């Protein structure tokens, strides 16, 4: 994906499309680690990862509301929308790739990088800019331009650039910026069982509120661990798994003093990292199940796209789809691949292959 | 339950016999996540050497894909056998209903199973993963499918 400073409405649309892709790109890795945990074990870790994954879904929907508000058209069905893992994040951090892997110290390490606060750059690297080069395997967007590319150290910086762009365009055209059909906004009644809430975006104030919520939940604001509602930022949630303790109010960064967070890295299905359909023998039950997963996921993304384009009631069956997807995750992760490795299968998220005819 | 439980060596035979007894494929049985939990349950309630003997008796006869021969072998060597029969019938009930039923008193007196054998549900997921639900094309009431209003839809039941 190539991103350039926002100077016009098309640039804003492009950034918001990238943001939707970015929010979604975190979900397969989070769900893969989450469902690799054997049911009944690692309950603290399960709750932590689940809460973050649900909030990424909230962020995806908030960005869709933003895109709709400024006259864009959300589309989760574009070829390439779903990343091929290992993947570089669409906002351009090129110092790490994201894997779909089991719950493990390596997975949490990656999750910390995904959610890292912007100022970690300054604290750890003296504010050095991360240079961007063309990276094989980077997520490519459906729409790209051609000028000087932007690159961001953190998701927070990426959203800051979107906010700056929004400010510039608002200064130019005022409320005309929010030309989208309000009927396409997804309201708070469609989100539950997670922190934060859905915000309908119809003007500058609600747009800023949506962006602020995404930033706060992700990496925290400046150097805070908890936001004003007492919710802990994703980065620090994950850090609890590494440090083995919960944060409590008043704690300093990197030094939680709450109760213990026990972790059993062995109570996990031994799934293959970044599994692909071609890892599973053609015609095997496992291959069929993985292909079925991809078709189900493609149908689900199509349903979300319809929900974002004026049919919000589609969110109700979409939640049913999510639970069905969870069942398919477990079914696949409990199957040995059957090669010499003793590894188990995992959903492959090769959504662009979901329309292939099976042999 | 992790894969390196003490009974891991019994797993292949246990899966093969469970497949023959239930009519569900290995893929479907593994997909329930109950395999090692149930193997542990039968070994705990009936002594693992009884289980090993039953699995040996089942696997001793190489039958291949001959379904009639498999049926005959199961009836003669397992279900009609005084020691294997009650165990095998318990295993069928366990897979289908997710409940372990105490073995008959006679069986325990003859073969010395665990005196603490009792009716119980081996895991919180045993009920929802019972094979009776896909067998009758229904969902376990109150447990699947999740999601508001999803009960109103026709059951989406998985068979490999």
């Amino acid at each position: 994906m190539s991103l350039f400073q926002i100077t016009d409405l098309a640039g804003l649309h492009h950034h918001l499309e990238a943001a939707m892709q970015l929010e979604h790109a975190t979900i397969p890795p989070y769900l893969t680690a989450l469902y690799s945990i054997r049911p009944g074990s690692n309950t603290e870790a399960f709750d932590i990862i689940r809460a973050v994954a649900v909030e990424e879904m909230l962020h995806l929907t908030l960005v869709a509301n933003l895109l709709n508000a400024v006259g864009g058209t959300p589309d989760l069905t574009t070829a390439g929308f779903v990343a091929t893992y290992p993947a570089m994040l669409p906002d351009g951090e090129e110092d790490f790739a994201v894997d779909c892997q089991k719950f493990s110290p390596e997975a949490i390490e990656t999750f910390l990088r995904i959610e890292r606060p912007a100022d970690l750059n300054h604290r750890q690297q003296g504010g050095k800019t991360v240079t961007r080069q063309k990276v094989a395997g980077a997520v490519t967007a459906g729409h790209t331009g051609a000028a000087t590319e932007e690159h961001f150290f953190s998701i927070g910086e990426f959203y800051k650039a979107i906010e700056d762009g929004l400010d510039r365009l608002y200064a130019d055209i005022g409320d005309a910026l929010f030309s989208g059909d309000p009927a396409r906004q997804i309201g708070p009644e469609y989100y539950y069982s997670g922190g934060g809430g859905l915000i309908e975006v119809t003007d500058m104030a609600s747009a800023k509120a949506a962006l602020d919520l995404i930033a706060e939940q992700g990496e925290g604001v400046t150097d805070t661990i908890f936001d004003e509602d007492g919710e802990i930022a994703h980065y620090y949630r994950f850090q609890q798994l590494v440090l083995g303790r919960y944060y409590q109010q008043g704690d300093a960064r990197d030094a939680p003093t709450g109760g213990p967070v026990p972790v059993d890295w062995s109570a996990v299905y031994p799934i293959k990292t970044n599994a692909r359909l071609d890892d599973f023998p053609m015609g095997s039950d496992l291959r069929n199940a993985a292909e079925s997963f991809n078709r189900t996921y493609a149908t689900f993304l199509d349903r979300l796209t319809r929900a974002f384009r004026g049919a919000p009631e589609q969110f109700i069956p979409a939640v049913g789809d999510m639970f069905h997807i969870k069942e398919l995750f477990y079914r696949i992760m409990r199957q040995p691949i059957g090669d010499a490795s003793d590894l188990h299968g995992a959903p492959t998220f090769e959504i662009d292959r979901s329309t292939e005819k099976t042999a | 339950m992790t894969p390196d439980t003490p009974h891991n060596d019994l797993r292949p035979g246990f899966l093969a016999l469970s497949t023959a007894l239930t009519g569900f494929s290995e893929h479907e049985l593994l997909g329930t996540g109950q395999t090692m939990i149930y193997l542990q349950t039968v070994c705990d309630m009936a002594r693992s050497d009884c289980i090993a003997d039953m699995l040996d008796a089942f696997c001793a006869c190489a039958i291949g894909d001959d379904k009639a021969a498999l049926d005959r072998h199961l009836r003669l060597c397992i279900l009609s056998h005084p020691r294997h029969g009650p165990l095998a019938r318990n295993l069928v009930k366990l897979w289908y209903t997710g409940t372990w039923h105490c073995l008959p008193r006679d069986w325990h007196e003859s073969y010395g199973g665990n005196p603490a054998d009792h009716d119980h549900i081996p895991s919180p997921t045993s009920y929802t993963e019972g094979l009776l639900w896909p067998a009758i094309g229904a969902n376990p009431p109150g447990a699947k499918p999740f999601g508001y209003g999803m009960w109103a839809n026709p059951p989406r039941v998985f068979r490999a």
Side-chain angles (χ1 to χ4, degrees):
Chain A
M1 160 158 324
S2 303
L3 292 168
F4 313 98
Q5 194 185 59
I6 299 170
T7 54
D8 56 15
L9 196 56
L12 179 61
H13 288 177
H14 181 45
H15 274 67
L16 291 170
E17 286 157 4
M20 287 187 70
Q21 210 177 358
L22 167 64
E23 296 296 347
H24 178 270
T26 64
I27 292 173
Y30 288 161
L31 291 186
T32 299
L34 179 68
Y35 296 140
S36 75
I37 293 173
R38 287 177 186 269
S41 71
N42 284 308
T43 51
E44 293 82 359
F46 188 92
D47 289 345
I48 286 171
I49 301 172
R50 181 198 162 280
V52 173
V54 168
E55 290 183 4
E56 300 302 344
M57 298 172 197
L58 170 66
H59 298 177
L60 177 70
T61 308
L62 286 170
V63 177
N65 275 357
L66 275 161
L67 182 56
N68 270 321
V70 295
T73 307
D75 186 1
L76 288 74
T77 62
T78 315
F81 177 82
V82 179
T84 301
Y85 297 93
M88 314 300 281
L89 292 181
D91 61 325
E93 300 102 323
E94 67 275 3
D95 58 320
F96 69 99
V98 179
D99 295 312
C100 282
Q101 60 184 324
K102 68 179 180 183
F103 175 64
S104 59
E106 296 76 21
I108 303 303
E109 203 55 48
T110 304
F111 297 171
L112 285 169
R113 289 200 174 111
I114 292 173
E115 306 283 355
R116 64 191 173 191
D119 74 329
L120 201 67
N121 188 20
H122 302 277
R123 284 191 281 139
Q124 292 186 346
Q125 307 184 27
K128 194 171 57 187
T129 308
V130 181
T131 53
R132 179 176 178 82
Q133 287 159 356
K134 215 56 180 162
V135 183
V139 179
T140 49
H143 330 263
T144 54
T148 315
E149 286 187 29
E150 291 175 321
H151 44 84
F152 304 97
F153 172 77
S154 74
I155 293 176
E157 289 179 349
F158 170 60
Y159 278 105
K160 185 71 176 64
I162 292 177
E163 193 173 346
D164 291 347
L166 209 56
D167 283 335
R168 272 195 298 279
L169 295 180
Y170 190 73
D172 283 349
I173 60 174
D175 286 330
L177 179 56
F178 298 96
S179 64
D181 180 359
R184 289 190 169 201
Q185 294 297 312
I186 310 295
E189 67 273 28
Y190 290 108
Y191 177 76
Y192 48 88
S193 200
L198 271 169
I199 296 165
E200 293 179 43
V201 178
T202 52
D203 55 16
M204 199 58 174
S206 48
K208 293 262 175 130
L211 287 170
D212 286 350
L213 179 56
I214 295 171
E216 269 180 35
Q217 286 191 328
E219 60 181 45
V221 199
T222 58
D223 59 353
T224 58
I225 295 165
F226 293 91
D227 67 14
E228 56 199 20
D229 300 324
E231 200 195 344
I232 180 169
H234 294 179
Y235 180 82
Y236 299 103
R237 276 180 207 251
F238 286 135
Q239 215 190 17
Q240 297 172 134
L241 293 170
V242 179
L243 300 176
R245 288 209 167 272
Y246 283 111
Y247 275 105
Q248 51 188 352
Q249 293 285 356
D251 281 347
R253 264 193 315 214
D254 307 331
T257 63
V261 180
V263 173
D264 179 358
W265 300 112
S266 72
V268 173
Y269 295 115
I271 59 163
K272 187 176 173 77
T273 298
N274 300 324
R276 312 301 281 268
L277 285 177
D278 292 337
D279 294 329
F280 312 142
M282 188 68 92
S284 65
D285 286 336
L286 175 55
R287 172 77 173 239
N288 292 341
E291 287 172 346
S292 168
F293 180 97
N294 289 341
R295 285 193 297 275
T296 300
Y297 204 82
T299 305
F300 166 67
L301 291 179
D302 180 63
R303 201 196 289 281
L304 282 186
T305 301
R306 284 186 281 138
F308 290 141
R309 291 185 184 182
E313 69 282 355
Q314 286 297 318
F315 262 104
I316 290 173
V319 171
D321 289 343
M322 292 179 208
F323 284 112
H324 183 55
I325 285 164
K326 174 183 177 181
E327 281 183 51
L328 295 177
F329 251 107
Y330 278 131
R331 200 178 305 285
I332 292 168
M333 288 182 163
R334 289 167 176 161
Q335 311 291 337
I337 294 176
D339 58 11
S341 68
D342 284 339
L343 292 175
H344 285 200
T348 71
F349 286 94
E350 291 163 283
I351 307 307
D352 295 339
R353 291 187 66 178
S354 66
T355 50
E356 279 180 20
K357 289 270 183 292
T358 48
Chain B
M1 198 73 48
T2 51
D4 50 355
T5 50
H7 305 301
N8 213 22
D9 55 323
L10 298 179
R11 187 172 168 278
F14 181 74
L15 261 179
L17 175 62
S18 295
T19 300
L21 285 171
T22 63
F24 280 76
S25 70
E26 282 197 11
H27 178 84
E28 289 167 316
L29 296 184
L30 288 172
T32 67
Q34 305 300 304
T35 308
M36 294 308 286
I37 296 169
Y38 289 170
L39 176 55
Q40 184 72 47
T41 301
V42 289
C43 288
D44 285 348
M45 295 298 122
R47 286 209 338 253
S48 51
D49 57 327
C50 294
I51 311 306
D53 285 352
M54 175 172 69
L55 299 182
D56 285 347
F58 175 70
C59 297
C61 188
I63 286 164
D65 293 333
D66 186 340
K67 285 189 173 160
L70 174 65
D71 187 76
R72 187 177 156 77
H73 175 58
L74 261 185
R75 285 172 197 281
L76 281 179
C77 302
I78 303 294
L79 293 170
S80 303
H81 189 280
R83 185 154 62 122
H84 306 330
L87 271 179
R89 276 185 282 280
N90 255 29
L91 200 50
V92 174
K93 285 188 278 188
L94 181 57
W95 275 112
Y96 271 83
T97 67
T99 304
W100 172 261
H101 296 273
C102 185
L103 284 159
R105 183 192 298 255
D106 291 354
W107 190 93
H108 276 295
E109 284 173 357
S110 305
Y111 307 113
N114 185 344
D117 185 13
H118 63 289
D119 293 358
H120 69 284
I121 296 167
S123 89
T125 47
S126 296
Y127 164 75
T128 55
E129 296 300 335
L131 299 181
L132 85 91
W133 306 115
I136 65 171
N139 282 306
K144 288 181 189 176
F146 280 112
Y148 173 74
M150 292 304 104
W151 52 267
N153 296 337
R156 184 158 47 180
V157 176
F158 173 86
R159 289 298 312 259

